[in-house]
């Protein structure tokens, strides 16, 4: 007996929002599976926020439907609907006269959770978001930095453990360095691994770092919906291609994985250099040997191969030739031979992989 597949967690069909004389969102459709992260990306005014707000009925659509777990949201009480959906916005919107802990506990209190359970959950979340409760729980929003406020906003959205999260420019108010750091913490949050998320950003790097799939919008319409890899290597039209043009190389480095470089890393070439590398290891401690998996991106690998040697190693002993620095790639099959990759080999394989992907797209 076959089991019917579960309905998508979010299903959007032909969704439109018209304002007098202006179409903000036009005939948008997509489906999101459990645990998937969809990023809504596009230039200012393309309709990202309007689309996001139609998912939790902060904006009512002109036409079309939104279903959450198979239930049309238009038939649910907005307040009840929103309690099951975490919502994080750029302006954070913390209640100024409530402490950090009180802000985080707002939704669980509305849901009637026990005070001790709320306190435990609040402390756990603040700790996980690097806001030690001893220092922060009793502070007020105005005593916090922008980045700390945004993390409290995130803790508040996570407090009732909603299965769905909507995030509108959640790192928007931060400078680029803080933003990248907080984004890293965000990606590492165990808490978010199983959540189905829709995140709005106009930042291309952010979209590529966080998305399982990206919906690139322009003029209220989806120009392309696909994985970062698909948008980069199979752009649906000129708008999509041009949108990524300025950051193309950086995005390619972040998107291609070692697995995709394998055909261009012939084992024979690599094994031929093994003896040399081994002898180098025995006579010197200068080789950088790190074991990484095929899931690592080219960027990760590049960073490992170019990172400065440990402070303990005197700079005059840095290897003159980058080819003696290498990483070891392991495959999930334990019996597969290990491969060693040097920086020149990595970059040559990257160039070939890009060339092949782009040639395949053009033909
Ligand atoms: N209440 C409204 N009345 C009329 N037009 C509106 C209204 N809200 C939004 N719009 C228009 O709809 C379009 C989409 O707005 P929206 O805020 O969704 O864009 P966005 O992609 O989120 O932009 P940004 O990145 O600048 O926040 C814009 O042209 C905006 O001017």
């Amino acid at each position: 007996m076959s089991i019917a597949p579960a309905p998508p967690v979010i299903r959007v069909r032909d969704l439109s929002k018209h304002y007098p004389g202006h179409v903000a969102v036009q005939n948008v459709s997509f489906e999101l599976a459990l645990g998937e992260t969809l990023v809504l990306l596009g230039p200012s005014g393309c309709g990202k926020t309007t689309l996001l707000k139609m998912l939790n009925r902060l904006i009512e659509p002109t036409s079309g439907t939104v279903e959450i777990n198979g239930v049309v949201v238009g038939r649910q009480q907005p307040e009840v609907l929103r309690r099951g959906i975490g919502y994080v916005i750029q302006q954070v919107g913390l209640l100024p006269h409530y402490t950090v802990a009180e802000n985080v506990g707002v939704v669980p209190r509305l849901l009637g959770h026990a005070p001790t359970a709320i306190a435990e959950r609040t402390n756990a979340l603040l700790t996980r978001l690097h806001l030690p409760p001893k220092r922060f729980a009793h502070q007020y929003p105005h005593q916090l930095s922008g980045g700390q406020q945004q993390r409290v906003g995130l803790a508040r959205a996570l407090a009732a453990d909603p299965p769905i999260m909507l995030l509108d420019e959640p790192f928007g108010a931060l400078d680029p360095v803080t933003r990248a750091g907080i984004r890293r913490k965000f990606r590492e949050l165990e808490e978010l691994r199983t959540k189905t998320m829709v995140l709005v950003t106009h930042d291309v790097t952010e979209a590529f770092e966080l998305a399982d799939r990206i919906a690139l919008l322009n003029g209220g319409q989806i120009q392309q919906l696909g994985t970062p890899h698909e948008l980069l290597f199979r752009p649906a039209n000129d708008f999509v291609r041009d949108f990524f043009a300025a950051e193309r190389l950086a995005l390619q480095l972040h998107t291609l994985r070692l697995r995709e470089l394998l055909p261009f890393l012939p084992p024979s070439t690599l094994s031929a250099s093994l003896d040399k590398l081994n002898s180098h290891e025995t006579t010197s401690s200068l080789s950088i040997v790190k074991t990484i998996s095929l899931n690592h991106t080219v960027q990760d690998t590049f960073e490992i191969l170019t990172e400065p040697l440990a402070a303990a190693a005197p700079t005059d002993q840095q290897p003159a030739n980058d080819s003696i620095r290498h990483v070891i790639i392991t495959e999930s099959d334990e019996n597969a031979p290990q491969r060693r990759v040097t920086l020149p080999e990595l970059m040559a394989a990257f160039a070939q992989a890009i060339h092949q992907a782009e040639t395949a797209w053009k033909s």
Side-chain angles (χ1 to χ4, degrees):
M1 194 179 72
S2 65
I3 299 168
V9 174
I10 301 177
R11 179 186 278 145
V12 169
R13 281 194 248 205
D14 276 334
L15 204 62
S16 296
K17 179 68 187 179
H18 296 190
Y19 291 109
H22 183 73
V23 179
V25 173
Q26 196 174 3
N27 295 110
V28 165
S29 301
F30 61 81
E31 294 184 355
L32 246 80
L34 183 71
E36 214 185 343
T37 297
L38 176 72
V39 169
L40 306 179
L41 177 68
S44 179
C46 70
K48 306 180 291 289
T49 297
T50 307
L51 177 54
L52 189 80
K53 286 182 170 174
M54 288 194 280
L55 303 182
N56 65 355
R57 295 193 64 188
L58 283 170
I59 292 179
E60 294 295 345
T62 309
S63 60
T65 53
V66 175
E67 288 173 29
I68 304 242
N69 294 315
V71 180
V72 176
V73 299
R75 298 198 197 121
Q76 295 180 46
Q77 287 289 336
E79 301 73 28
V80 176
L81 172 75
R82 282 179 215 142
R83 279 177 207 162
I85 302 178
Y87 183 51
V88 183
I89 52 172
Q90 175 176 348
Q91 301 80 6
V92 189
L94 299 177
L95 300 163
H97 304 300
Y98 279 24
T99 64
V100 164
E102 286 165 346
N103 266 286
V104 174
V106 163
V107 178
R109 267 202 305 282
L110 281 173
L111 293 172
H113 294 184
T116 46
I118 297 175
E120 268 175 36
R121 173 97 181 130
T122 301
N123 283 348
L125 275 172
L126 290 177
T127 306
R128 223 165 301 156
L129 286 160
H130 303 273
L131 295 165
K134 269 197 178 144
R135 177 170 162 210
F136 289 102
H138 302 292
Q139 293 204 316
Y140 287 88
H142 77 268
Q143 297 173 297
L144 307 180
S145 74
Q148 289 162 347
Q149 287 185 27
Q150 286 202 305
R151 275 176 282 159
V152 176
L154 190 56
R156 182 183 54 182
L158 287 166
D161 202 15
I164 297 172
M165 297 278 288
L166 306 181
L167 305 112
D168 193 348
E169 295 276 5
F171 318 112
L174 306 172
D175 65 88
V177 176
T178 313
R179 190 178 170 117
I182 290 194
R183 205 160 62 214
R184 207 167 305 122
K185 284 183 191 143
F186 177 83
R187 275 166 54 196
E188 287 161 4
L189 270 182
E190 197 53 48
E191 196 78 32
L192 294 174
R193 297 258 151 87
T194 55
K195 303 223 180 281
T196 306
M197 298 196 276
V198 183
L199 184 145
V200 164
T201 184
H202 63 272
D203 181 325
V204 169
T205 311
E206 189 158 299
F208 270 66
E209 271 182 24
L210 301 177
D212 292 312
R213 285 187 299 154
I214 295 173
L216 179 60
L217 291 147
N218 191 35
Q221 291 180 303
I222 293 186
Q223 301 296 314
Q224 189 168 358
L225 175 65
T227 62
H229 196 284
E230 285 164 349
L231 268 71
L232 198 55
F233 292 108
R234 301 271 183 280
N237 56 35
D238 287 349
F239 175 84
V240 179
R241 203 195 51 233
D242 295 348
F243 194 80
F244 299 117
E247 286 158 271
R248 193 163 182 79
L249 178 62
L251 295 175
Q252 288 170 336
L253 284 165
H254 276 104
T255 306
L256 276 188
R257 297 183 182 274
L258 288 177
R259 185 179 309 287
E260 295 159 273
L261 263 54
L262 269 188
F264 308 105
L265 291 169
S268 53
T269 311
L270 296 168
S271 55
S273 58
L274 274 184
D275 287 346
K276 191 174 109 204
L277 288 163
N278 280 336
S279 69
H280 178 77
E281 269 166 36
T282 55
T283 56
S284 160
S285 60
L286 295 179
S287 281
I288 293 208
V289 183
K290 282 208 176 155
T291 303
I292 60 178
S293 83
L294 287 173
N295 272 334
H296 274 70
T297 63
V298 178
Q299 177 72 31
D300 292 337
T301 316
F302 178 80
E303 283 173 15
I304 292 170
L305 285 166
T306 55
E307 74 193 358
L309 294 178
T315 47
D316 59 0
Q317 286 183 35
Q318 298 258 354
N321 181 353
D322 271 344
S323 66
I324 62 173
R325 300 173 73 167
H326 61 275
V327 289
I328 296 177
I329 305 175
T330 55
E331 300 190 38
S332 49
D333 175 2
E334 283 176 7
N335 297 323
Q338 286 189 333
R339 291 158 179 272
R340 294 175 180 238
V341 178
T342 62
L343 186 59
E345 285 166 340
L346 178 78
M347 296 329 283
F350 172 66
Q352 280 178 282
I354 295 295
H355 178 72
Q356 193 196 48
E358 292 186 341
T359 316
W361 175 71
K362 281 177 192 141
S363 59

